[in-house]
Amino acid sequence: MRLARQTLLLAALTIAGAPAHAAEANPHLERGVKLLNDMEDAKALKELRHALTWPGASSAERAKVHVYIGIAQVNLLNLSAAKKSFRDALALDATAALPALTSPKIKDLFAEVRTELGIKPPPEPTPPPPETEPASREVVPPPPPPPRPRRSTVNWPAWVTLGAAVAVGATGLALGVSARSENEAAGDLKLTYSQAQEHHDAAAGRALGANICFGLTGALAITSGVLFYVGWKREKSTTTAAVVPLPQGGAVLQVRGATW
């Protein structure tokens, strides 16, 4: 029953025909609506009755006061007095209406009084016309994406690593040949001990360098093989083909970004 009280004060401030200046407003009406919002129905009824005698009140404003008096009477369970107040409101202004969000019980009682007086309810607001759909337009397909430049298929890291392995292997081979020569020279019986030892030390150093080069060659060769395998797998997984339609008709075949 009292669900609409929170909106009564705002509705009272927008009464049709109310004076424009705050000094000319009906203070009893404002206080009465506020008391209704605070659920002080008996005090609100007293203030609203004083509002009826406020000098300069128009018929529409007095009709609005009778509407609020009827609401207060319903809250106080005085239904007969409430119906009389609603009759007085409609007699002063046939377009008088309840505030928004009024309880269904008060709406039914107000509608009953309107029917007894032979007053038709206000017409329902006309719904806005449905939006017309815009005329269909020809859908133009988007142009095909520009072909991407073909990237190089040469696995440069693998080839560079393989080249380094060959170069290091050649260096190791040259060191190994040189170490063998030095070792043979160290066996010459014509050399003194110190000369033979120098050749022997040179042979040992070059043999060590050859072994290091051969080991590095093996590591580089394995790395190159891994890079070749990884590149082959990537090349295989990224090979894609798509048929792209053209706006003017027909289609093109794109394989890995290249148009055919």
Side-chain angles (χ1 to χ4, degrees):
M1 181 187 298
R2 302 184 181 184
L3 296 176
R5 294 186 176 186
Q6 296 180 354
T7 62
L8 293 179
L9 182 59
L10 179 61
L13 297 177
T14 57
I15 296 175
H21 301 287
E24 300 176 359
N26 191 331
H28 297 289
L29 176 58
E30 295 180 5
R31 285 197 294 267
V33 175
K34 185 177 184 302
L35 289 169
L36 280 177
N37 291 332
D38 296 337
M39 299 184 183
E40 298 286 346
D41 299 301
K43 294 180 180 179
L45 188 59
K46 181 178 180 181
E47 285 293 336
L48 291 170
R49 284 173 176 167
H50 285 307
L52 289 175
T53 61
W54 182 256
S58 63
S59 298
E61 182 177 337
R62 295 179 68 246
K64 186 64 68 174
V65 173
H66 279 296
V67 169
Y68 287 117
I69 290 176
I71 293 173
Q73 294 286 15
V74 173
N75 293 337
L76 294 171
L77 302 181
N78 299 326
L79 300 185
S80 298
K83 292 179 68 174
K84 180 181 182 304
S85 296
F86 290 154
R87 289 193 195 95
D88 293 340
L90 292 170
L92 289 171
D93 184 3
T95 62
L98 295 170
L101 302 179
T102 307
S103 66
K105 181 177 181 180
I106 298 177
K107 288 182 178 179
D108 293 342
L109 188 63
F110 192 80
E112 180 182 342
V113 173
R114 185 190 287 116
T115 302
E116 292 176 356
L117 296 177
I119 300 175
K120 295 182 179 181
E124 295 292 334
T126 304
E131 296 183 0
T132 57
E133 297 183 358
S136 59
R137 296 179 299 176
E138 182 181 357
V139 178
V140 179
R148 294 178 297 176
R150 298 185 63 182
R151 64 179 184 179
S152 175
T153 57
V154 179
N155 192 343
W156 289 110
W159 282 108
V160 170
T161 306
L162 180 60
V166 173
V168 174
T171 303
L173 183 60
L175 288 175
V177 172
S178 178
R180 184 175 180 179
S181 299
E182 290 291 339
N183 194 30
E184 291 178 352
D188 190 354
L189 298 177
K190 297 178 180 181
L191 298 177
T192 62
Y193 175 79
S194 59
Q195 291 174 339
Q197 188 63 35
E198 289 178 2
H199 285 290
H200 182 73
D201 293 341
R206 294 175 185 181
L208 178 61
N211 291 333
I212 293 175
C213 288
F214 290 146
L216 184 58
T217 299
L220 290 172
I222 294 174
T223 304
S224 176
V226 172
L227 291 175
F228 273 117
Y229 176 76
V230 172
W232 174 77
K233 291 289 289 185
R234 184 185 297 114
E235 194 73 19
K236 184 178 179 181
S237 62
T238 57
T239 300
T240 57
V243 177
V244 180
L246 297 176
Q248 64 272 21
V252 294
L253 176 64
Q254 286 189 347
V255 179
R256 295 175 50 200
T259 303
W260 303 87

